[in-house]
């Protein structure tokens, strides 16, 4: 599912498209297509479901492969931090994974504080905006070069010699 909305962050209006890929039926090609247009990623897992935690490295690897050399702001977010009794993933494991994946880390509970989600999203938006302000020309140039090379390679593969 894709959610569209606008928010004001640090006096700047930001149009967002948030894609929820929680469904297991999503194909790799569909994910890669979504990853290409995204400027930032929030990787969410539940502390009560180890399988969701174990899926995170696979998604991060797909992001890195799809984005190739571009550095993309990514946050690892642990949800359901209020459910200590059913916890299957420790805070330390989340922090360690975030460090391995070169992501920032946040643990929260949507049930207790919906605002915590907004804070995490705004933190990610600020990381994206900071990156775009720092390297707008270089990123555009890199994408232009990548697209030109892709078109040229595609054309050369299809041409008969």
């Amino acid at each position: 599912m894709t959610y569209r909305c606008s928010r004001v962050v640090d006096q700047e209006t930001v149009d967002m498209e948030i894609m929820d890929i929680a469904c297991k039926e999503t194909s790799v090609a569909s994910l890669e297509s979504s990853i290409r247009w995204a400027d930032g990623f929030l990787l969410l897992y539940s502390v009560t479901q180890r399988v969701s935690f174990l899926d995170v490295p696979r998604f991060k690897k797909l992001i890195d492969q799809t984005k190739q050399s571009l550095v993309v702001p990514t946050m690892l977010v642990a949800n359901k931090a209020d459910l200590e009794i059913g916890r299957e993933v420790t805070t330390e494991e989340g922090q360690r994974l975030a460090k391995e994946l070169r992501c920032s880390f946040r643990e929260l509970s949507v049930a207790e504080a919906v605002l915590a989600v907004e804070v995490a999203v705004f933190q990610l938006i600020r990381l994206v905006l900071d990156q775009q302000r720092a390297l707008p020309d270089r990123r555009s140039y890199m994408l232009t070069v990548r697209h030109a090379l892709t078109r040229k390679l595609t054309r050369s593969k299809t041409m008969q010699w």
Side-chain angles (χ1 to χ4, degrees):
M1 293 202 100
T2 303
Y3 306 92
R4 290 177 178 85
C5 61
S6 293
R7 293 288 185 268
V8 176
V9 180
D10 301 334
Q11 296 143 357
E12 188 172 340
T13 302
V14 177
D15 294 322
M16 296 182 288
E17 288 187 22
I18 301 170
M19 182 177 181
D20 181 354
I21 58 164
C23 58
K24 296 292 182 187
E25 306 89 49
T26 306
S27 70
V28 172
S30 175
L31 285 174
E32 287 175 342
S33 174
S34 298
I35 289 169
R36 275 188 208 96
W37 62 256
D39 293 317
F41 298 90
L42 193 138
L43 301 171
L44 181 77
Y45 69 91
S46 169
V47 299
T48 63
Q49 294 178 329
R50 181 161 289 277
V51 69
S52 67
F53 177 74
L54 296 174
D55 277 342
V56 169
R58 181 173 59 92
F59 286 121
K60 180 65 165 100
K61 183 178 179 182
L62 185 60
I63 291 166
D64 290 344
Q65 287 174 342
T66 304
K67 289 296 198 175
Q68 295 175 357
S69 64
L70 296 177
V71 177
V72 183
T74 307
M75 287 185 63
L76 180 62
V77 178
N79 186 26
K80 300 186 181 180
D82 59 314
L83 301 178
E84 286 300 322
I85 292 176
R87 184 182 277 269
E88 295 180 5
V89 182
T90 66
T91 301
E92 292 76 22
E93 287 176 295
Q95 291 170 333
R96 191 169 35 253
L97 181 60
K99 187 175 181 179
E100 288 170 17
L101 299 177
R102 297 176 318 278
C103 303
S104 54
F105 178 75
R106 182 175 291 270
E107 195 170 77
L108 53 83
S109 171
V110 173
E112 285 187 344
V114 172
L115 288 178
V117 176
E118 187 173 52
V119 168
V121 171
F122 278 23
Q123 182 181 352
L124 180 62
I125 291 169
R126 286 183 182 102
L127 290 171
V128 169
L129 291 174
D130 287 347
Q131 184 184 44
Q132 288 176 349
R133 286 182 196 118
L135 301 170
D137 296 331
R138 181 173 179 218
R139 182 165 187 234
S140 298
Y141 174 76
M142 298 280 288
L143 287 173
T144 302
V145 169
R146 183 185 300 161
H147 292 306
L149 287 172
T150 302
R151 282 192 304 275
K152 186 172 185 163
L153 288 173
T154 303
R155 256 185 275 139
S156 66
K157 286 180 185 177
T158 59
M159 295 175 81
Q160 298 294 324
W161 295 102

